[in-house]
Amino acid sequence: MLASLCVFAIAAMVYVIFGFSWQGAPGRPAHVLMIGGKAWNWIAAEPLFLRGLRLDLSPVSLILLLQMFSVGLAAMIPLGAGAERWKLGGSCAATLLLAGWTYPLFAHWVWSEGWLSQLGSMYGLGKGFVDGGGAGTIQVMGGLSALSIAWILGPRRGKYSSDGGPAAIPAHNVVLVLAGCLFAWVGWLGLNSAGAILFNHEEPSVVVLVAVNTTLSACASTLAAVAVTRLRFGRPDASLAANGWMAGLVASSAAAPFLKPPAAILAGLVAGALVVFAIDLLELRLTIDDPGGAISVHAIAGIWGLLSVALLSDAGGGSSGQWLAQLIGIATLLGLVLPLTHGLNWLINRVYLHRVDAEDEWQGMDLCELGAGAYPEFVVHSDEFTQR
Amino acid sequence: MLASLCVFAIAAMVYVIFGFSWQGAPGRPAHVLMIGGKAWNWIAAEPLFLRGLRLDLSPVSLILLLQMFSVGLAAMIPLGAGAERWKLGGSCAATLLLAGWTYPLFAHWVWSEGWLSQLGSMYGLGKGFVDGGGAGTIQVMGGLSALSIAWILGPRRGKYSSDGGPAAIPAHNVVLVLAGCLFAWVGWLGLNSAGAILFNHEEPSVVVLVAVNTTLSACASTLAAVAVTRLRFGRPDASLAANGWMAGLVASSAAAPFLKPPAAILAGLVAGALVVFAIDLLELRLTIDDPGGAISVHAIAGIWGLLSVALLSDAGGGSSGQWLAQLIGIATLLGLVLPLTHGLNWLINRVYLHRVDAEDEWQGMDLCELGAGAYPEFVVHSDEFTQR
Amino acid sequence: MLASLCVFAIAAMVYVIFGFSWQGAPGRPAHVLMIGGKAWNWIAAEPLFLRGLRLDLSPVSLILLLQMFSVGLAAMIPLGAGAERWKLGGSCAATLLLAGWTYPLFAHWVWSEGWLSQLGSMYGLGKGFVDGGGAGTIQVMGGLSALSIAWILGPRRGKYSSDGGPAAIPAHNVVLVLAGCLFAWVGWLGLNSAGAILFNHEEPSVVVLVAVNTTLSACASTLAAVAVTRLRFGRPDASLAANGWMAGLVASSAAAPFLKPPAAILAGLVAGALVVFAIDLLELRLTIDDPGGAISVHAIAGIWGLLSVALLSDAGGGSSGQWLAQLIGIATLLGLVLPLTHGLNWLINRVYLHRVDAEDEWQGMDLCELGAGAYPEFVVHSDEFTQR
């Protein structure tokens, strides 16, 4: 849990010191690459340390403020996948690269008149790649980092016993999980509203539509997750319901300002069903151990959100151009951002092992890394390490 | 705890799909009944699915947004009374009826130029029934649903042992309860402020007065609850103090924009004392088992809040007309809304039993309905129920 | 934990009833003392019960609203230092004096054109004593009260065993601590922004700069605390990291509107390192038992924040006049506010002992004062220390 504080702190600081320099904002200086007679904008050219940037209420300063929080959020997503076996040093190093390089680069392409947003004006592909609330930039970005970390770390010890069946590892306090849902909801209302105004250039009055759609998507997704779980396993599951809630929020991020309320409900229903199957698929078929469901909730639901812009929204209106723009964006995430992220994390792992020692893992990360138990009510006996 | 997510999700979705159609907003189409030569507005006539409603910052769209949350809040109140013995399916069905029918109907009468608000213009009863923040519409409505559920479910097993004395069942984590108080306070500041502007048609500058009065009412109510508990039982009780805090918030909802700060303190003191006696009365005399105190906190304090409009506020100025309007509103809640709600819940119970099986109840609802314990630190052994 | 609710409630009510009468606001009636031919403004002259104060959106009404919360915050700081051994009655009495007298008096001097703020206009000492977000008025004030309480109460039983070495007393749930960090952060963004506009008379657009600086200061402080702890003790500590986060917020309060972002990072780094050493110093050298670290986090980091105005900010520009103004303010806190607070708390202790009985302390305060355990998962054995 200490890791959350450290990761957020590093992400926000690194982003201010040099991450923002590569991301920039619309209408700010940037480097351009001439390809095929067209000027492709691929990286910003801001000075370090925010020098020369006036922090008043101008759009660029609001973008900086919003992005400082978004990058922290994206950097915290992989923590869910690396739970209980990721070293603090490793998560700090991965955060440094995410917030200092990968995130700003892709965010520039999408939000700062970079080449993905230019697809609209240059090739008439609808409005270009549309992602106001960061379903791709924040969520898929964070979810793919989580995937990379889960690959590198491997499953928790005891998760897949010798016969290959996954063992459930009961963990979190449901009350806290649900308090997290409430926090996330409030945060998402802000995130989606701010994104719609700053990045989709909508009128401020769009916030009502965004709030309604974001909430409906989360509600529908929760109910879909509960229904699917009940049908498949006989009884609903609180943890999957919470994952459904989060998936609905994630899925709403790309299209919230462009959906009619019934379409937002539909987007949520798909997200909730999808996330249950995705968690199952990852855990059982692909034996990727993701304790927090970070990959399914953020990457899978985020990709669905990006598709819903073309499929359900008023934005592209289902035009083939908008479809193509969204698909190019998703392809960039999977074909370029994922290998880049994974390569960087793999390099870190060569220098400094990401995974904690076997002994420490049995005793629980918090105990080992922090010198204090996160759940003081679990008493660890000093002679044997049985947790219950 | 899963129930909270599901109930909120169902309430918000049902309300958007058809609940809002019956509630409407001031100045929107509605059905009118001619009685005694006067046109009584009794139900709205909006299309389903919010069709034709522009979600910009217009008052009607803000009302929809606020009500989507309010109806979710009202629907969650009965969960406190049904704790540990209410089936998930039952709470979902009850929510469907509350959010889809009972709530919108009464809210229309109060907030959408319905007949309760018409009492002022038609019969000169002060300003008509006044309830900007929803002390009646949200709180008493939710509290009466809680009463209905507590009646149908009956007390928890072991609550009233053979000799009839109530046994204390220790439960919640006080830290989380207090975090809930903080959340509630922030929510209430928003709720009361928005209600004052949208439903009482006050100037936006009223928010300062509303914030001061809401806070003072909660503070005074807490201290009154602590003082009464100390006097009666020898030592204060954290759980009753939190109930006092909530009761103060509830009581402030109706009159917050119309009170002077000392009157808000007085309203809070009464609410806090009232709630302690009401909890006692329900538990000991009426043997209604309400683990969360939902009936006392929401219904009783809410009714007091409605009365305080006539008694303490600048609105009616203690005029007999305002008194009559408030009493008619309260009578409608007790004489019409309560039987309607109870009848519907009773019907559900005929089809699908609200109460969980005896065995499941011993093991704890969360475990049974959710497949995971809300408090993982309580280990339930399958052969015996020792709590460690 | 009940104490938090009671202390906040008493502070807010007392402040509204008579505390605000002594504090006032800029441009409101006040008493003046002629010394050396200059008119020193030393206390406000407002009527009791907010009479005559219109609660609209005027600056004075916003100041009242903000101060109602700030005084509650300041009053809750000593609870951290008195944890597990401070009687409820004692904390209520101490709150009464803090919120009704000490806080309003010092706040008048700083924020209501009192003599500390007059230092600038009368003697040309920069801008006078600068403290928009309340690093001195709220944090140092609360931290010094905490120091006074820790002195009076003495250490927890068993903290310093016979051989003099401090025994670690493991306690809190880290997840809740971190949720507290999130809450605090949101609150601080509001506090520092509102303070910059209302007390430093900055343009509303300053909120972006304030939000960036506040966040950077907290992030840098956390990382500094983690780094220092790792260097000194071999492994980072979650509790000290959270203290670092809080110290960074505290340190940002005085200078946030006047710092460039790199200077805010520097201010945070110093605060984080400082707090680790301060906690150590208090605990090991001075054997002052402060379980929550309230003295170090609020008083020490607050004083550093006040100094950073002169050292790092654009406000005084490092002018010797601004240095002098800040030092006079700090001297007033240490030489006048601390003795006053300590004297009043000492007087209370003569009438009504602050400290709980030895027996109750062993069983845990919450159990004894509240009649219910804050952590129900800690079961106290049934043969000794029965829980009720």
Side-chain angles (χ1 to χ4, degrees):
Chain A
M1 283 296 131
L2 168 65
S4 310
L5 265 188
C6 287
V7 159
F8 181 86
I10 290 176
M13 281 179 62
V14 162
Y15 184 78
V16 164
I17 295 174
F18 57 87
F20 183 73
S21 313
W22 326 133
Q23 179 172 344
R28 306 276 302 180
H31 295 289
V32 163
L33 218 59
M34 296 298 298
I35 299 179
K38 299 199 189 250
W40 295 99
N41 180 341
W42 77 280
I43 195 167
E46 297 276 345
L48 301 181
F49 279 109
L50 310 183
R51 264 175 304 131
L53 186 69
R54 281 180 52 84
L55 294 174
D56 42 22
L57 283 170
S58 64
V60 56
S61 75
L62 289 173
I63 287 175
L64 167 80
L65 184 60
L66 179 67
Q67 290 304 298
M68 208 168 115
F69 302 154
S70 304
V71 80
L73 192 62
M76 284 161 76
I77 293 172
L79 289 174
E84 297 173 35
R85 60 202 192 286
W86 198 10
K87 265 190 205 161
L88 183 60
S91 56
C92 290
T95 297
L96 191 80
L97 292 169
L98 180 82
W101 178 244
T102 337
Y103 180 97
L105 191 67
F106 187 73
H108 177 80
W109 297 346
V110 179
W111 285 334
S112 308
E113 299 177 341
W115 70 270
L116 279 171
S117 73
Q118 287 177 313
L119 290 173
S121 55
M122 284 199 185
Y123 287 101
L125 301 184
K127 300 185 168 190
F129 181 64
V130 166
D131 180 20
T137 324
I138 304 171
Q139 309 302 330
V140 179
M141 171 71 75
L144 294 180
S145 301
L147 176 60
S148 152
I149 291 301
W151 269 335
I152 289 173
L153 293 175
R156 284 165 292 175
R157 242 160 267 272
K159 169 73 182 176
Y160 298 104
S161 49
S162 52
D163 56 300
I169 302 185
H172 299 86
N173 185 316
V174 174
V175 180
L176 289 174
V177 169
L178 296 188
C181 289
L182 178 59
F183 274 128
W185 176 46
V186 174
W188 241 266
L189 293 181
L191 193 64
N192 285 357
S193 299
I197 295 169
L198 292 172
F199 299 128
N200 297 329
H201 310 295
E202 298 283 327
E203 294 292 308
S205 68
V206 81
V207 296
V208 176
L209 179 63
V210 166
V212 169
N213 282 344
T214 304
T215 308
L216 285 178
S217 178
C219 290
S221 179
T222 306
L223 295 178
V226 168
V228 169
T229 327
R230 177 156 245 170
L231 285 175
R232 293 193 61 193
F233 307 113
R235 51 178 51 185
D237 178 90
S239 165
L240 284 174
N243 280 335
W245 178 265
M246 293 301 300
L249 292 175
V250 167
S252 74
S253 278
F258 309 114
L259 296 176
K260 291 201 189 314
I265 290 178
L266 192 60
L269 289 175
V270 174
L274 208 58
V275 84
V276 174
F277 289 109
I279 285 176
D280 237 45
L281 183 75
L282 284 171
E283 192 172 318
L284 297 184
R285 298 289 159 84
L286 308 178
T287 60
I288 291 170
D289 184 19
D290 174 9
I295 302 165
S296 309
V297 166
H298 296 278
I300 309 284
I303 290 174
W304 158 242
L306 293 175
L307 290 174
S308 75
V309 173
L311 186 65
L312 299 172
S313 86
D314 306 341
S319 75
S320 57
Q322 190 63 50
W323 266 109
L324 204 55
Q326 298 302 107
L327 289 174
I328 291 174
I330 295 168
T332 308
L333 281 163
L334 295 177
L336 216 145
V337 169
L338 178 58
L340 179 63
T341 303
H342 193 56
L344 292 171
N345 283 334
W346 181 87
L347 275 178
I348 297 172
N349 202 37
R350 302 292 300 185
V351 181
Y352 174 84
L353 260 185
H354 272 296
R355 181 147 183 166
V356 294
D357 297 337
E359 239 179 84
D360 291 343
E361 195 176 339
W362 279 120
Q363 295 194 33
M365 274 289 294
D366 283 318
L367 215 64
C368 124
E369 285 269 328
L370 322 186
Y375 297 92
E377 50 274 25
F378 286 113
V379 176
V380 179
H381 295 286
S382 50
D383 42 345
E384 25 159 10
F385 302 120
T386 42
Q387 244 189 357
R388 67 175 59 188
Chain B
M1 283 296 133
L2 169 64
S4 308
L5 264 188
C6 288
V7 160
F8 181 86
I10 290 176
M13 282 180 61
V14 162
Y15 184 77
V16 164
I17 295 174
F18 58 88
F20 182 73
S21 314
W22 325 133
Q23 178 171 347
R28 306 277 301 179
H31 296 289
V32 162
L33 218 61
M34 296 300 297
I35 299 178
K38 300 197 189 251
W40 295 98
N41 180 340
W42 76 281
I43 195 168
E46 297 276 344
L48 301 181
F49 279 108
L50 310 183
R51 266 177 302 132
L53 186 67
R54 282 180 51 83
L55 294 174
D56 41 23
L57 283 169
S58 65
V60 56
S61 75
L62 289 174
I63 286 175
L64 167 80
L65 184 60
L66 179 67
Q67 289 305 298
M68 209 169 115
F69 303 154
S70 304
V71 80
L73 193 62
M76 284 162 76
I77 293 172
L79 289 175
E84 296 171 36
R85 61 202 192 285
W86 198 8
K87 267 191 204 159
L88 183 60
S91 56
C92 290
T95 297
L96 192 80
L97 293 170
L98 179 81
W101 177 243
T102 338
Y103 180 97
L105 192 68
F106 187 73
H108 177 79
W109 298 345
V110 180
W111 285 334
S112 308
E113 300 176 341
W115 70 269
L116 279 171
S117 74
Q118 287 177 312
L119 289 173
S121 54
M122 285 201 187
Y123 287 102
L125 301 184
K127 300 184 167 189
F129 181 64
V130 166
D131 180 20
T137 325
I138 305 171
Q139 309 303 331
V140 179
M141 171 72 73
L144 294 180
S145 301
L147 176 61
S148 152
I149 291 301
W151 269 335
I152 289 173
L153 292 174
R156 285 165 291 177
R157 241 161 268 274
K159 170 72 182 177
Y160 299 103
S161 49
S162 51
D163 56 300
I169 301 183
H172 299 85
N173 185 315
V174 174
V175 180
L176 290 173
V177 168
L178 296 189
C181 289
L182 178 58
F183 274 128
W185 176 47
V186 173
W188 240 267
L189 293 182
L191 193 65
N192 285 357
S193 299
I197 295 168
L198 291 172
F199 299 129
N200 296 330
H201 311 293
E202 298 284 326
E203 293 293 308
S205 67
V206 81
V207 297
V208 176
L209 178 64
V210 167
V212 168
N213 281 345
T214 304
T215 309
L216 286 178
S217 178
C219 290
S221 180
T222 307
L223 295 179
V226 169
V228 169
T229 326
R230 180 156 244 172
L231 285 175
R232 291 194 62 194
F233 307 113
R235 51 178 51 186
D237 178 89
S239 165
L240 284 174
N243 280 336
W245 178 265
M246 294 300 299
L249 293 175
V250 167
S252 74
S253 278
F258 309 114
L259 297 176
K260 291 201 189 315
I265 291 178
L266 192 59
L269 289 174
V270 173
L274 209 57
V275 85
V276 175
F277 288 110
I279 285 177
D280 236 44
L281 184 75
L282 284 171
E283 192 172 318
L284 297 184
R285 298 289 160 83
L286 309 179
T287 61
I288 292 171
D289 185 18
D290 174 10
I295 302 165
S296 309
V297 166
H298 297 278
I300 310 283
I303 290 174
W304 158 241
L306 293 175
L307 290 175
S308 75
V309 173
L311 187 65
L312 300 172
S313 84
D314 307 341
S319 74
S320 56
Q322 191 62 50
W323 266 108
L324 203 54
Q326 298 303 105
L327 288 174
I328 292 174
I330 294 168
T332 309
L333 281 163
L334 295 177
L336 216 146
V337 170
L338 177 59
L340 179 64
T341 303
H342 193 57
L344 292 171
N345 284 333
W346 181 87
L347 276 178
I348 298 171
N349 202 38
R350 302 292 299 185
V351 181
Y352 174 84
L353 260 185
H354 272 296
R355 181 147 183 167
V356 295
D357 298 337
E359 239 180 82
D360 291 343
E361 195 176 337
W362 278 118
Q363 293 194 35
M365 274 288 296
D366 283 319
L367 214 62
C368 125
E369 285 270 327
L370 321 187
Y375 298 92
E377 50 275 24
F378 286 111
V379 177
V380 179
H381 294 285
S382 51
D383 44 346
E384 28 158 8
F385 302 118
T386 43
Q387 262 194 347
R388 164 179 319 204
Chain C
M1 284 295 132
L2 169 65
S4 309
L5 265 188
C6 288
V7 159
F8 180 85
I10 289 176
M13 282 180 60
V14 162
Y15 184 77
V16 164
I17 296 173
F18 57 87
F20 182 73
S21 314
W22 326 132
Q23 178 171 345
R28 306 277 301 179
H31 296 288
V32 163
L33 219 59
M34 296 300 296
I35 299 179
K38 298 197 190 251
W40 295 98
N41 179 342
W42 76 281
I43 195 166
E46 297 275 344
L48 300 182
F49 279 108
L50 310 183
R51 265 176 303 132
L53 186 68
R54 282 180 52 82
L55 293 174
D56 42 22
L57 283 170
S58 64
V60 57
S61 75
L62 289 173
I63 286 176
L64 167 80
L65 184 60
L66 179 68
Q67 289 306 297
M68 209 169 114
F69 304 154
S70 304
V71 79
L73 192 63
M76 284 161 76
I77 292 172
L79 289 175
E84 297 172 36
R85 60 202 193 285
W86 197 8
K87 267 190 203 159
L88 183 61
S91 55
C92 291
T95 298
L96 192 79
L97 293 170
L98 180 81
W101 177 244
T102 338
Y103 180 97
L105 191 66
F106 187 73
H108 176 80
W109 297 345
V110 180
W111 284 334
S112 308
E113 300 176 339
W115 70 269
L116 278 171
S117 72
Q118 287 177 311
L119 290 173
S121 54
M122 285 200 186
Y123 287 102
L125 301 183
K127 299 184 168 190
F129 181 64
V130 166
D131 180 20
T137 325
I138 304 171
Q139 309 303 332
V140 179
M141 171 73 74
L144 294 180
S145 301
L147 176 60
S148 152
I149 292 300
W151 270 334
I152 290 173
L153 293 175
R156 284 165 291 174
R157 240 160 269 273
K159 171 71 183 176
Y160 299 103
S161 50
S162 51
D163 56 300
I169 302 184
H172 299 85
N173 185 315
V174 173
V175 180
L176 290 173
V177 169
L178 296 189
C181 288
L182 178 59
F183 274 129
W185 177 47
V186 173
W188 241 267
L189 293 181
L191 193 64
N192 284 356
S193 299
I197 296 168
L198 291 172
F199 298 129
N200 296 330
H201 310 294
E202 298 284 325
E203 293 293 307
S205 68
V206 80
V207 296
V208 176
L209 178 64
V210 166
V212 168
N213 281 345
T214 304
T215 309
L216 285 178
S217 177
C219 290
S221 179
T222 307
L223 295 178
V226 169
V228 169
T229 327
R230 180 156 243 170
L231 285 175
R232 292 193 63 192
F233 307 113
R235 49 178 52 183
D237 178 89
S239 165
L240 283 175
N243 280 336
W245 177 266
M246 293 302 299
L249 292 175
V250 167
S252 73
S253 278
F258 309 114
L259 297 176
K260 292 200 189 315
I265 292 178
L266 192 60
L269 289 174
V270 173
L274 209 58
V275 85
V276 175
F277 288 111
I279 285 177
D280 236 45
L281 183 74
L282 284 171
E283 192 172 318
L284 298 183
R285 297 290 160 82
L286 309 179
T287 61
I288 293 170
D289 185 17
D290 175 10
I295 302 165
S296 308
V297 166
H298 297 277
I300 310 283
I303 289 173
W304 158 242
L306 293 174
L307 290 175
S308 75
V309 173
L311 186 66
L312 299 172
S313 85
D314 307 341
S319 75
S320 56
Q322 190 63 50
W323 265 109
L324 204 55
Q326 297 304 103
L327 288 174
I328 291 174
I330 295 169
T332 309
L333 281 163
L334 296 177
L336 215 145
V337 170
L338 177 58
L340 179 63
T341 304
H342 193 57
L344 292 170
N345 284 332
W346 181 87
L347 276 178
I348 297 171
N349 202 39
R350 301 293 298 186
V351 181
Y352 174 86
L353 260 186
H354 273 295
R355 182 148 184 163
V356 294
D357 298 337
E359 243 179 80
D360 291 342
E361 195 175 338
W362 278 118
Q363 295 194 33
M365 273 288 295
D366 283 318
L367 215 64
C368 125
E369 285 269 329
L370 322 185
Y375 297 92
E377 51 275 26
F378 285 112
V379 177
V380 180
H381 295 287
S382 52
D383 43 342
E384 20 157 13
F385 311 134
T386 41
Q387 216 176 359
R388 67 176 60 189

